Amino acid sequence: MKRISTILLAVLSTFSIAIGQTLTVRSSLNLSAVEGAVISQSRGNWNQITNARGQASLPAISNSDTLVITHIGFRTLVVSASQLEKMKNEVVLQPRVVSVDEVVISASGFEQRARDLTTKMEQLDATEIAQLDQGSTADLLSSTGNVFVQKSQHGGGSPVLRGFEANKILLVVDGVRMNNAIYRSGHLQNVLTIDAGIVNNMEVLYGPGTVMHGSDALGGVLSFNTRNPILAIGDAQAIGVRTHSRYATADNGMAMHADLNIGGKKTASLTSLSLSDHGNLRQGAKRDEKYSAFGKTAYYAKTINGADTKVLNPHPNVQLGSAYRQYDIFQKLLFAPTPHSSHILTFQHSSTSDNSFYARLTDTLSNGQLRWAKWYYGPALRSAATYHFSSFKQKQLYDQLKTIIAYQNIEESRHTRLFASKNLDHRIENVAVWSLNINLEKRLARHVLHYGSELTTNEVASYAYRENIITGNTNTISTRYPDGGSNLRTGALYLSHHWDVSPKLVVEDGVRFSLQSLEANFVDTTFFKFPFSTINQQHQAFTGQLGLVYKLLNPLYLVANISSGFRAPNVDDIAKIFESTSGKVILPNANLEPEQVFNFETGLRLAIKKAVKFDATFYQTSFTNVITTLPGTFAGNDSIQFNGLQSKVFVLDNAAEARLYGLEGKVAADFTKHASLYGSVAYTHGRIKTDTTDYPLDHIPPVYGKFGLVYTAKKLLLDANVQFNGQKKLKDYNLIGEDNFRYATADGMPAWHIFNLSTQYALNPNFTVRAALENIADKNYRVFASGISAPGRNFVLTLRGQF
């Protein structure tokens, strides 16, 4: 009887139904969780998707059944339920470089297949961000090879997209625009306030994005989406900790990050803290003989016994004054009362230490004396509170609804003291920003509609005073922006339409109507008696886009798009008083008009057997009413005394027009299961045309890109790559704009290339170690328009933990 019972149990176990269980999916590279993996039953009709912890709750399945696990970034895995039991409900996927069907977050915040986009977009997920492992978000963007980044100081970075920079590209965090009323036209370092340690994915949208985003998105959009809290599966709480520590030799920099997730069935919390301490940046020692002294910090200013002294730098490759510190605090709360709705409340705070404007510290007078004893930015403060409501329940007017209410408070300041002067000037700006976004999606057969509205308000306060560092006495000086305060308000409605015309043709079109009003008030006329006390402007604009994706052959797609964009002047454009360079002061102009662009682009996308992917894009942009720096006058004079120096007067004004065109290419190939190649290259050309002349448009980078080889095995990744910039000849500089030719050589900016090598190894499911050697040859180079040289040979060591 006992033997019969044993046989019966064995037979029944063969056909038994396994109890529902939790499956965990990990990457073979670092054993990290794989989010978004689809787990399906080979002979059933159900599927599950893994959460941010790589987990999915499986229904009851037969022990003899087979599961298929797929993800856009990994090779498909087929595993039987019996094998799964031996693996203790944990599977490991092998990554791939080539992804042809990846899902991206569209500009409206809804998911869309990348292959259906009619404009160019690049995406970087959390795993790729960790593999690039950079000290700041600006350096992260630069290291991709897809975004050109200018630097004026170590603690900064100004992204450039297709020849557009600063207030002509849009920064977005979790669907909220960062651009505010004082985003300037020069080089803008605000991307530093985004903590890369908490970013879940980053997307770069190229070309005018004004249909979805309104003013400012002329060259493109940089969109960052932060991690969401994780809800629990089953009865146990979802408690997880992630940490990483990073050390880099080029600036003797230390960085630490830790975040804690606590999740229940309907509520979850994610708390994050990042700290970094960056020392003075050491530049490369190996120079071209023709430029043997280029970039060296020969002298620096030091106060000795109460007197400013020009001191010899014993280590001229160390860029003294470039050190800075930063901390970022992040808190996100999730409440999901039903499977069809969620509420998310997010708090962010970012602050730097005082951050020297390194380029200015190297300025000298005609007699060789240092011009500045001090020139630094005060702490860059950005605080934000955001509420997101999402509804995924189908209704008559929408299938999905996303509403965002946000408040941001930004403070920035500039502090300057001339060499041998006792007067330290302080200029402080504060901006309070409220915004409301309503985005809806409706699917109708082969049509998808995205529509919604946006409202924003910016309140700007500007203060300034002069402090005697000996006596402590203070008195007023001219403010950077109007001392009576300024405000900027916008409103917009948009509609975007996606149409799957046929299996071979996708069409996208859209239109946006935008309104903007600006008021700036000048009260104190002690320093400048302008012919106006108030500036009032109102602007409105329609923008649109039409694009298509057409399948020429099975692996070959044609993409084409036409779009328009505009950027209405903000407070910085119209009303600032600013010394852009020594001897050059910019004064307000009440008559500025909006900039407008019309863009055409076309390209080819080729994907062969999910092993080779190639993209090539050509674009041409017509840029009218260009706001650029032009000579001006004040009270009939072409120069005035400013900051103790006779300075030429300039204003921001609308030039006649500009033309830009460019080529972009990208390739990725999986040679074998373990070896892959990737690369990208971009070229941009731009000129300003007036009634009488033709000269280079500023912010146009030289040709740039990156190529690399990747080898992956179980727990191991090796990456060898070369990053490069072409030459920027002096004749191609804009000599009255923002190209900073004084920080280049007499011939312009030389071409450069650097070799980098990195390796990453998963010690176990909890710890991953990464080691990298950047700029292996210790080359001395400087990115075009930058006022600080790039790091020399840099050894980086990072340890990551997840529990």
Side-chain angles (χ1 to χ4, degrees), residues 301-328:
K302 184 176 182 180
T303 303
I304 302 175
N305 297 325
D308 290 336
T309 306
K310 182 179 178 181
V311 179
L312 181 68
N313 181 7
H315 305 287
N317 285 325
V318 176
Q319 299 172 104
L320 297 177
S322 59
Y324 76 100
R325 298 183 305 277
Q326 181 171 342
Y327 72 88
D328 296 272

PDB file of all heavy atoms in Angstrom, residues 301-328:
ATOM      1  N   ALA A 301      45.136  83.911  -7.578  1.00  0.00           N
ATOM      2  CA  ALA A 301      45.030  85.004  -6.603  1.00  0.00           C
ATOM      3  C   ALA A 301      44.902  84.440  -5.200  1.00  0.00           C
ATOM      4  O   ALA A 301      44.122  83.515  -4.954  1.00  0.00           O
ATOM      5  CB  ALA A 301      43.832  85.885  -6.937  1.00  0.00           C
ATOM      6  N   LYS A 302      45.663  85.012  -4.275  1.00  0.00           N
ATOM      7  CA  LYS A 302      45.600  84.596  -2.881  1.00  0.00           C
ATOM      8  C   LYS A 302      45.759  85.834  -2.004  1.00  0.00           C
ATOM      9  O   LYS A 302      46.603  86.697  -2.281  1.00  0.00           O
ATOM     10  CB  LYS A 302      46.699  83.582  -2.564  1.00  0.00           C
ATOM     11  CG  LYS A 302      46.643  83.015  -1.152  1.00  0.00           C
ATOM     12  CD  LYS A 302      47.715  81.944  -0.951  1.00  0.00           C
ATOM     13  CE  LYS A 302      47.631  81.357   0.443  1.00  0.00           C
ATOM     14  NZ  LYS A 302      48.673  80.299   0.659  1.00  0.00           N
ATOM     15  N   THR A 303      44.959  85.929  -0.960  1.00  0.00           N
ATOM     16  CA  THR A 303      45.057  87.059  -0.039  1.00  0.00           C
ATOM     17  C   THR A 303      46.052  86.719   1.066  1.00  0.00           C
ATOM     18  O   THR A 303      45.851  85.766   1.825  1.00  0.00           O
ATOM     19  CB  THR A 303      43.688  87.385   0.566  1.00  0.00           C
ATOM     20  OG1 THR A 303      42.758  87.652  -0.486  1.00  0.00           O
ATOM     21  CG2 THR A 303      43.770  88.603   1.480  1.00  0.00           C
ATOM     22  N   ILE A 304      47.139  87.484   1.114  1.00  0.00           N
ATOM     23  CA  ILE A 304      48.201  87.259   2.101  1.00  0.00           C
ATOM     24  C   ILE A 304      48.353  88.527   2.942  1.00  0.00           C
ATOM     25  O   ILE A 304      48.608  89.607   2.402  1.00  0.00           O
ATOM     26  CB  ILE A 304      49.536  86.906   1.413  1.00  0.00           C
ATOM     27  CG1 ILE A 304      49.365  85.650   0.544  1.00  0.00           C
ATOM     28  CG2 ILE A 304      50.638  86.701   2.458  1.00  0.00           C
ATOM     29  CD1 ILE A 304      50.604  85.303  -0.269  1.00  0.00           C
ATOM     30  N   ASN A 305      48.185  88.395   4.267  1.00  0.00           N
ATOM     31  CA  ASN A 305      48.269  89.539   5.187  1.00  0.00           C
ATOM     32  C   ASN A 305      47.363  90.680   4.747  1.00  0.00           C
ATOM     33  O   ASN A 305      47.739  91.863   4.782  1.00  0.00           O
ATOM     34  CB  ASN A 305      49.711  90.030   5.306  1.00  0.00           C
ATOM     35  CG  ASN A 305      50.625  88.979   5.910  1.00  0.00           C
ATOM     36  OD1 ASN A 305      50.209  88.216   6.779  1.00  0.00           O
ATOM     37  ND2 ASN A 305      51.871  88.940   5.436  1.00  0.00           N
ATOM     38  N   GLY A 306      46.160  90.307   4.282  1.00  0.00           N
ATOM     39  CA  GLY A 306      45.168  91.304   3.910  1.00  0.00           C
ATOM     40  C   GLY A 306      45.347  91.897   2.530  1.00  0.00           C
ATOM     41  O   GLY A 306      44.569  92.767   2.136  1.00  0.00           O
ATOM     42  N   ALA A 307      46.350  91.441   1.769  1.00  0.00           N
ATOM     43  CA  ALA A 307      46.597  91.998   0.435  1.00  0.00           C
ATOM     44  C   ALA A 307      46.498  90.899  -0.616  1.00  0.00           C
ATOM     45  O   ALA A 307      47.022  89.792  -0.420  1.00  0.00           O
ATOM     46  CB  ALA A 307      47.969  92.656   0.375  1.00  0.00           C
ATOM     47  N   ASP A 308      45.843  91.200  -1.751  1.00  0.00           N
ATOM     48  CA  ASP A 308      45.755  90.236  -2.851  1.00  0.00           C
ATOM     49  C   ASP A 308      47.126  90.081  -3.500  1.00  0.00           C
ATOM     50  O   ASP A 308      47.808  91.078  -3.809  1.00  0.00           O
ATOM     51  CB  ASP A 308      44.750  90.710  -3.896  1.00  0.00           C
ATOM     52  CG  ASP A 308      43.321  90.630  -3.383  1.00  0.00           C
ATOM     53  OD1 ASP A 308      43.068  89.826  -2.461  1.00  0.00           O
ATOM     54  OD2 ASP A 308      42.458  91.361  -3.908  1.00  0.00           O
ATOM     55  N   THR A 309      47.514  88.843  -3.706  1.00  0.00           N
ATOM     56  CA  THR A 309      48.834  88.543  -4.255  1.00  0.00           C
ATOM     57  C   THR A 309      48.704  87.565  -5.405  1.00  0.00           C
ATOM     58  O   THR A 309      47.929  86.609  -5.326  1.00  0.00           O
ATOM     59  CB  THR A 309      49.748  87.934  -3.172  1.00  0.00           C
ATOM     60  OG1 THR A 309      49.768  88.805  -2.032  1.00  0.00           O
ATOM     61  CG2 THR A 309      51.156  87.737  -3.692  1.00  0.00           C
ATOM     62  N   LYS A 310      49.460  87.818  -6.453  1.00  0.00           N
ATOM     63  CA  LYS A 310      49.522  86.897  -7.586  1.00  0.00           C
ATOM     64  C   LYS A 310      50.570  85.838  -7.270  1.00  0.00           C
ATOM     65  O   LYS A 310      51.756  86.133  -7.178  1.00  0.00           O
ATOM     66  CB  LYS A 310      49.884  87.663  -8.861  1.00  0.00           C
ATOM     67  CG  LYS A 310      49.928  86.821 -10.122  1.00  0.00           C
ATOM     68  CD  LYS A 310      50.284  87.701 -11.328  1.00  0.00           C
ATOM     69  CE  LYS A 310      50.394  86.880 -12.595  1.00  0.00           C
ATOM     70  NZ  LYS A 310      50.774  87.724 -13.768  1.00  0.00           N
ATOM     71  N   VAL A 311      50.118  84.593  -7.090  1.00  0.00           N
ATOM     72  CA  VAL A 311      50.979  83.518  -6.605  1.00  0.00           C
ATOM     73  C   VAL A 311      51.239  82.506  -7.711  1.00  0.00           C
ATOM     74  O   VAL A 311      50.322  82.137  -8.460  1.00  0.00           O
ATOM     75  CB  VAL A 311      50.345  82.821  -5.384  1.00  0.00           C
ATOM     76  CG1 VAL A 311      51.221  81.686  -4.878  1.00  0.00           C
ATOM     77  CG2 VAL A 311      50.084  83.832  -4.274  1.00  0.00           C
ATOM     78  N   LEU A 312      52.485  82.050  -7.804  1.00  0.00           N
ATOM     79  CA  LEU A 312      52.847  81.030  -8.784  1.00  0.00           C
ATOM     80  C   LEU A 312      52.237  79.687  -8.388  1.00  0.00           C
ATOM     81  O   LEU A 312      52.349  79.256  -7.238  1.00  0.00           O
ATOM     82  CB  LEU A 312      54.369  80.905  -8.867  1.00  0.00           C
ATOM     83  CG  LEU A 312      54.920  79.889  -9.886  1.00  0.00           C
ATOM     84  CD1 LEU A 312      54.645  80.363 -11.303  1.00  0.00           C
ATOM     85  CD2 LEU A 312      56.421  79.697  -9.668  1.00  0.00           C
ATOM     86  N   ASN A 313      51.593  79.043  -9.350  1.00  0.00           N
ATOM     87  CA  ASN A 313      50.990  77.730  -9.102  1.00  0.00           C
ATOM     88  C   ASN A 313      52.067  76.655  -9.251  1.00  0.00           C
ATOM     89  O   ASN A 313      52.613  76.475 -10.342  1.00  0.00           O
ATOM     90  CB  ASN A 313      49.859  77.479 -10.101  1.00  0.00           C
ATOM     91  CG  ASN A 313      49.165  76.146  -9.880  1.00  0.00           C
ATOM     92  OD1 ASN A 313      49.433  75.438  -8.907  1.00  0.00           O
ATOM     93  ND2 ASN A 313      48.275  75.794 -10.796  1.00  0.00           N
ATOM     94  N   PRO A 314      52.419  75.929  -8.189  1.00  0.00           N
ATOM     95  CA  PRO A 314      53.474  74.915  -8.296  1.00  0.00           C
ATOM     96  C   PRO A 314      53.062  73.712  -9.154  1.00  0.00           C
ATOM     97  O   PRO A 314      53.915  72.953  -9.606  1.00  0.00           O
ATOM     98  CB  PRO A 314      53.703  74.492  -6.845  1.00  0.00           C
ATOM     99  CG  PRO A 314      52.413  74.799  -6.156  1.00  0.00           C
ATOM    100  CD  PRO A 314      51.859  76.008  -6.842  1.00  0.00           C
ATOM    101  N   HIS A 315      51.775  73.547  -9.379  1.00  0.00           N
ATOM    102  CA  HIS A 315      51.272  72.442 -10.203  1.00  0.00           C
ATOM    103  C   HIS A 315      50.332  73.027 -11.263  1.00  0.00           C
ATOM    104  O   HIS A 315      49.111  73.013 -11.105  1.00  0.00           O
ATOM    105  CB  HIS A 315      50.541  71.416  -9.340  1.00  0.00           C
ATOM    106  CG  HIS A 315      51.364  70.878  -8.207  1.00  0.00           C
ATOM    107  ND1 HIS A 315      52.408  69.995  -8.395  1.00  0.00           N
ATOM    108  CD2 HIS A 315      51.306  71.127  -6.869  1.00  0.00           C
ATOM    109  CE1 HIS A 315      52.953  69.703  -7.226  1.00  0.00           C
ATOM    110  NE2 HIS A 315      52.319  70.380  -6.281  1.00  0.00           N
ATOM    111  N   PRO A 316      50.881  73.574 -12.349  1.00  0.00           N
ATOM    112  CA  PRO A 316      50.072  74.323 -13.317  1.00  0.00           C
ATOM    113  C   PRO A 316      49.009  73.505 -14.042  1.00  0.00           C
ATOM    114  O   PRO A 316      48.126  74.078 -14.671  1.00  0.00           O
ATOM    115  CB  PRO A 316      51.111  74.871 -14.304  1.00  0.00           C
ATOM    116  CG  PRO A 316      52.308  74.000 -14.128  1.00  0.00           C
ATOM    117  CD  PRO A 316      52.311  73.585 -12.708  1.00  0.00           C
ATOM    118  N   ASN A 317      49.086  72.164 -13.971  1.00  0.00           N
ATOM    119  CA  ASN A 317      48.030  71.360 -14.572  1.00  0.00           C
ATOM    120  C   ASN A 317      46.833  71.182 -13.640  1.00  0.00           C
ATOM    121  O   ASN A 317      45.798  70.658 -14.053  1.00  0.00           O
ATOM    122  CB  ASN A 317      48.567  69.985 -14.977  1.00  0.00           C
ATOM    123  CG  ASN A 317      49.418  70.054 -16.228  1.00  0.00           C
ATOM    124  OD1 ASN A 317      49.138  70.844 -17.125  1.00  0.00           O
ATOM    125  ND2 ASN A 317      50.465  69.247 -16.291  1.00  0.00           N
ATOM    126  N   VAL A 318      46.986  71.604 -12.393  1.00  0.00           N
ATOM    127  CA  VAL A 318      45.868  71.571 -11.445  1.00  0.00           C
ATOM    128  C   VAL A 318      45.142  72.906 -11.528  1.00  0.00           C
ATOM    129  O   VAL A 318      45.733  73.961 -11.300  1.00  0.00           O
ATOM    130  CB  VAL A 318      46.355  71.302 -10.010  1.00  0.00           C
ATOM    131  CG1 VAL A 318      45.187  71.375  -9.036  1.00  0.00           C
ATOM    132  CG2 VAL A 318      47.036  69.946  -9.928  1.00  0.00           C
ATOM    133  N   GLN A 319      43.861  72.860 -11.868  1.00  0.00           N
ATOM    134  CA  GLN A 319      43.086  74.072 -12.108  1.00  0.00           C
ATOM    135  C   GLN A 319      42.501  74.563 -10.776  1.00  0.00           C
ATOM    136  O   GLN A 319      41.377  74.230 -10.404  1.00  0.00           O
ATOM    137  CB  GLN A 319      42.009  73.782 -13.158  1.00  0.00           C
ATOM    138  CG  GLN A 319      42.654  73.360 -14.476  1.00  0.00           C
ATOM    139  CD  GLN A 319      41.673  72.862 -15.512  1.00  0.00           C
ATOM    140  OE1 GLN A 319      41.353  73.571 -16.471  1.00  0.00           O
ATOM    141  NE2 GLN A 319      41.219  71.643 -15.352  1.00  0.00           N
ATOM    142  N   LEU A 320      43.324  75.363 -10.082  1.00  0.00           N
ATOM    143  CA  LEU A 320      42.974  75.834  -8.743  1.00  0.00           C
ATOM    144  C   LEU A 320      41.718  76.698  -8.787  1.00  0.00           C
ATOM    145  O   LEU A 320      41.576  77.571  -9.643  1.00  0.00           O
ATOM    146  CB  LEU A 320      44.143  76.614  -8.144  1.00  0.00           C
ATOM    147  CG  LEU A 320      45.444  75.821  -7.930  1.00  0.00           C
ATOM    148  CD1 LEU A 320      46.532  76.733  -7.406  1.00  0.00           C
ATOM    149  CD2 LEU A 320      45.200  74.658  -6.978  1.00  0.00           C
ATOM    150  N   GLY A 321      40.843  76.453  -7.843  1.00  0.00           N
ATOM    151  CA  GLY A 321      39.587  77.198  -7.788  1.00  0.00           C
ATOM    152  C   GLY A 321      38.426  76.459  -8.420  1.00  0.00           C
ATOM    153  O   GLY A 321      37.301  76.970  -8.440  1.00  0.00           O
ATOM    154  N   SER A 322      38.669  75.248  -8.934  1.00  0.00           N
ATOM    155  CA  SER A 322      37.591  74.523  -9.615  1.00  0.00           C
ATOM    156  C   SER A 322      36.841  73.557  -8.705  1.00  0.00           C
ATOM    157  O   SER A 322      35.883  72.915  -9.135  1.00  0.00           O
ATOM    158  CB  SER A 322      38.156  73.754 -10.820  1.00  0.00           C
ATOM    159  OG  SER A 322      39.162  72.838 -10.419  1.00  0.00           O
ATOM    160  N   ALA A 323      37.245  73.408  -7.449  1.00  0.00           N
ATOM    161  CA  ALA A 323      36.613  72.452  -6.533  1.00  0.00           C
ATOM    162  C   ALA A 323      35.191  72.901  -6.169  1.00  0.00           C
ATOM    163  O   ALA A 323      34.886  74.099  -6.130  1.00  0.00           O
ATOM    164  CB  ALA A 323      37.455  72.311  -5.272  1.00  0.00           C
ATOM    165  N   TYR A 324      34.331  71.921  -5.893  1.00  0.00           N
ATOM    166  CA  TYR A 324      32.978  72.220  -5.420  1.00  0.00           C
ATOM    167  C   TYR A 324      32.396  70.992  -4.730  1.00  0.00           C
ATOM    168  O   TYR A 324      32.889  69.872  -4.877  1.00  0.00           O
ATOM    169  CB  TYR A 324      32.065  72.655  -6.574  1.00  0.00           C
ATOM    170  CG  TYR A 324      31.604  71.516  -7.461  1.00  0.00           C
ATOM    171  CD1 TYR A 324      30.326  70.952  -7.308  1.00  0.00           C
ATOM    172  CD2 TYR A 324      32.430  70.982  -8.451  1.00  0.00           C
ATOM    173  CE1 TYR A 324      29.906  69.909  -8.109  1.00  0.00           C
ATOM    174  CE2 TYR A 324      32.008  69.941  -9.251  1.00  0.00           C
ATOM    175  CZ  TYR A 324      30.742  69.408  -9.077  1.00  0.00           C
ATOM    176  OH  TYR A 324      30.327  68.360  -9.874  1.00  0.00           O
ATOM    177  N   ARG A 325      31.315  71.215  -3.988  1.00  0.00           N
ATOM    178  CA  ARG A 325      30.580  70.134  -3.326  1.00  0.00           C
ATOM    179  C   ARG A 325      29.103  70.250  -3.684  1.00  0.00           C
ATOM    180  O   ARG A 325      28.626  71.319  -4.071  1.00  0.00           O
ATOM    181  CB  ARG A 325      30.757  70.201  -1.809  1.00  0.00           C
ATOM    182  CG  ARG A 325      32.182  70.032  -1.330  1.00  0.00           C
ATOM    183  CD  ARG A 325      32.269  70.033   0.193  1.00  0.00           C
ATOM    184  NE  ARG A 325      31.657  71.216   0.782  1.00  0.00           N
ATOM    185  CZ  ARG A 325      32.265  72.394   0.899  1.00  0.00           C
ATOM    186  NH1 ARG A 325      33.503  72.552   0.450  1.00  0.00           N
ATOM    187  NH2 ARG A 325      31.643  73.423   1.452  1.00  0.00           N
ATOM    188  N   GLN A 326      28.388  69.132  -3.517  1.00  0.00           N
ATOM    189  CA  GLN A 326      26.962  69.131  -3.850  1.00  0.00           C
ATOM    190  C   GLN A 326      26.238  68.079  -3.018  1.00  0.00           C
ATOM    191  O   GLN A 326      26.795  67.033  -2.697  1.00  0.00           O
ATOM    192  CB  GLN A 326      26.758  68.824  -5.343  1.00  0.00           C
ATOM    193  CG  GLN A 326      25.305  68.821  -5.790  1.00  0.00           C
ATOM    194  CD  GLN A 326      25.149  68.741  -7.310  1.00  0.00           C
ATOM    195  OE1 GLN A 326      26.108  69.018  -8.036  1.00  0.00           O
ATOM    196  NE2 GLN A 326      23.984  68.376  -7.780  1.00  0.00           N
ATOM    197  N   TYR A 327      24.982  68.388  -2.665  1.00  0.00           N
ATOM    198  CA  TYR A 327      24.134  67.359  -2.076  1.00  0.00           C
ATOM    199  C   TYR A 327      22.739  67.441  -2.693  1.00  0.00           C
ATOM    200  O   TYR A 327      22.282  68.502  -3.117  1.00  0.00           O
ATOM    201  CB  TYR A 327      24.073  67.471  -0.546  1.00  0.00           C
ATOM    202  CG  TYR A 327      23.285  68.638   0.001  1.00  0.00           C
ATOM    203  CD1 TYR A 327      21.911  68.537   0.223  1.00  0.00           C
ATOM    204  CD2 TYR A 327      23.914  69.839   0.313  1.00  0.00           C
ATOM    205  CE1 TYR A 327      21.192  69.606   0.727  1.00  0.00           C
ATOM    206  CE2 TYR A 327      23.207  70.908   0.835  1.00  0.00           C
ATOM    207  CZ  TYR A 327      21.836  70.780   1.039  1.00  0.00           C
ATOM    208  OH  TYR A 327      21.117  71.841   1.543  1.00  0.00           O
ATOM    209  N   ASP A 328      22.075  66.272  -2.761  1.00  0.00           N
ATOM    210  CA  ASP A 328      20.738  66.173  -3.333  1.00  0.00           C
ATOM    211  C   ASP A 328      19.873  65.315  -2.419  1.00  0.00           C
ATOM    212  O   ASP A 328      20.267  64.196  -2.044  1.00  0.00           O
ATOM    213  CB  ASP A 328      20.783  65.554  -4.732  1.00  0.00           C
ATOM    214  CG  ASP A 328      21.532  66.409  -5.733  1.00  0.00           C
ATOM    215  OD1 ASP A 328      20.891  67.268  -6.351  1.00  0.00           O
ATOM    216  OD2 ASP A 328      22.749  66.213  -5.896  1.00  0.00           O
TER     217      ASP A 328
END
